[in-house]
Amino acid sequence: NAGVMQNPRHLVRRRGQEARLRCSPMKGHSHVYWYRQLPEEGLKFMVYLQKENIIDESGMPKERFSAEFPKEGPSILRIQQVVRGDSAAYFCASSPGQDPYGYTFGSGTRLTVV
Amino acid sequence: QKEVEQNSGPLSVPEGAIASLNCTYSDRGSQSFFWYRQYSGKSPELIMSIYSNGDKEDGRFTAQLNKASQYVSLLIRDSQPSDSATYLCAVSPDTGNQFYFGTGTSLTVIP
């Protein structure tokens, strides 16, 4: 039973380019969450999605960031026109349903903007 | 603003000692509490969950919750060098599925 799969593991983008991060949840999990971890900081919630629906995007920056979880395929976190401050580790987690279950995290995508 | 506070450390304990990690949270409506361990460059992994006041033990780990004081802690008995990592406290509010994480406490177990 594969865990939460994120790719790529490492992504380097120049300022102004687009970054696309992918997350495939664990089998049987229909809830996906994206978190960002800046250097020396804790995990910050970004967005919670179910299939074809954004449930809570209260942690998403208002501009340049978007997320989707289509009916088929992985969840995508898209960052347009990246800036150096976007450099961070982006973690995806999945769960089978409502809380109080703990998450299962993916290995993360480390984005570096040069 | 929902806050989860942890002492960032670093906390150093000798091998075999008890490590005590603490966490406070601001949202009195929080219902679920978790401790995650994160090795450098790796993803967080769940160690313990606790939902009601009191102690919960799992092997060498004991989680303690005091909702009145808005305080949750993690005790690691017989600490091992392999326990050296950053420990993240996570709190879930009464609604929704997102978790609020503390910034983590760095633990080093000295052989």
Side-chain angles (χ1 to χ4, degrees):
Chain A
N1 184 17
V4 179
M5 304 300 291
Q6 288 189 251
N7 65 81
R9 292 292 302 275
H10 299 276
L11 182 61
V12 179
R13 284 288 178 265
R14 286 196 169 88
R15 281 179 296 171
Q17 291 185 319
E18 178 180 281
R20 290 168 64 93
L21 289 62
R22 296 174 183 78
C23 169
S24 296
M26 282 185 70
K27 187 176 181 180
H29 287 193
S30 59
H31 300 241
V32 166
Y33 316 82
W34 286 93
Y35 282 77
R36 177 166 63 177
Q37 188 172 36
L38 293 167
E40 306 303 323
E41 293 190 15
L43 289 156
K44 299 293 185 186
F45 169 80
M46 299 182 75
V47 62
Y48 160 40
L49 310 104
Q50 294 182 28
K51 285 285 187 182
E52 300 184 278
N53 284 303
I54 296 175
I55 307 302
D56 182 349
E57 57 180 348
S58 58
M60 287 276 274
K62 294 290 186 290
E63 298 177 350
R64 302 187 298 108
F65 285 73
S66 62
E68 62 178 4
F69 189 15
K71 186 176 181 181
E72 300 291 338
S75 176
I76 305 288
L77 179 68
R78 182 184 292 112
I79 311 172
Q80 296 177 305
Q81 298 176 320
V82 296
V83 300
R84 287 228 171 98
D86 296 333
S87 295
Y90 292 82
F91 288 98
C92 168
S94 72
S95 74
Q98 294 287 323
D99 59 334
Y101 299 109
Y103 295 158
T104 299
F105 279 91
S107 299
T109 293
R110 277 142 187 89
L111 172 66
T112 302
V113 179
V114 297
Chain B
Q1 180 73 9
K2 296 179 173 66
E3 301 280 347
V4 179
E5 300 285 344
Q6 291 182 255
N7 187 330
S8 62
L11 174 66
S12 294
V13 299
E15 184 175 354
I18 295 176
S20 177
L21 306 164
N22 305 313
C23 173
T24 59
Y25 58 95
S26 64
D27 182 11
R28 203 168 271 283
S30 299
Q31 296 294 321
S32 309
F33 307 86
F34 302 84
W35 283 99
Y36 283 81
R37 177 175 61 198
Q38 186 176 26
Y39 292 109
S40 180
K42 302 295 184 182
S43 61
E45 54 180 328
L46 180 66
I47 300 175
M48 293 280 292
S49 60
I50 186 167
Y51 311 114
S52 54
N53 283 328
D55 295 0
K56 179 181 178 182
E57 187 174 319
D58 184 0
R60 295 186 296 111
F61 299 98
T62 299
Q64 299 173 318
L65 175 62
N66 184 326
K67 288 187 177 180
S69 300
Q70 294 174 241
Y71 175 89
V72 59
S73 66
L74 179 70
L75 299 177
I76 306 175
R77 290 182 300 281
D78 189 23
S79 295
Q80 301 297 309
S82 59
D83 296 326
S84 298
T86 296
Y87 289 81
L88 303 170
C89 173
V91 175
S92 178
D94 55 347
T95 59
N97 275 251
Q98 65 166 288
F99 288 80
Y100 295 94
F101 282 85
T103 54
T105 297
S106 175
L107 172 67
T108 299
V109 180
I110 303 167

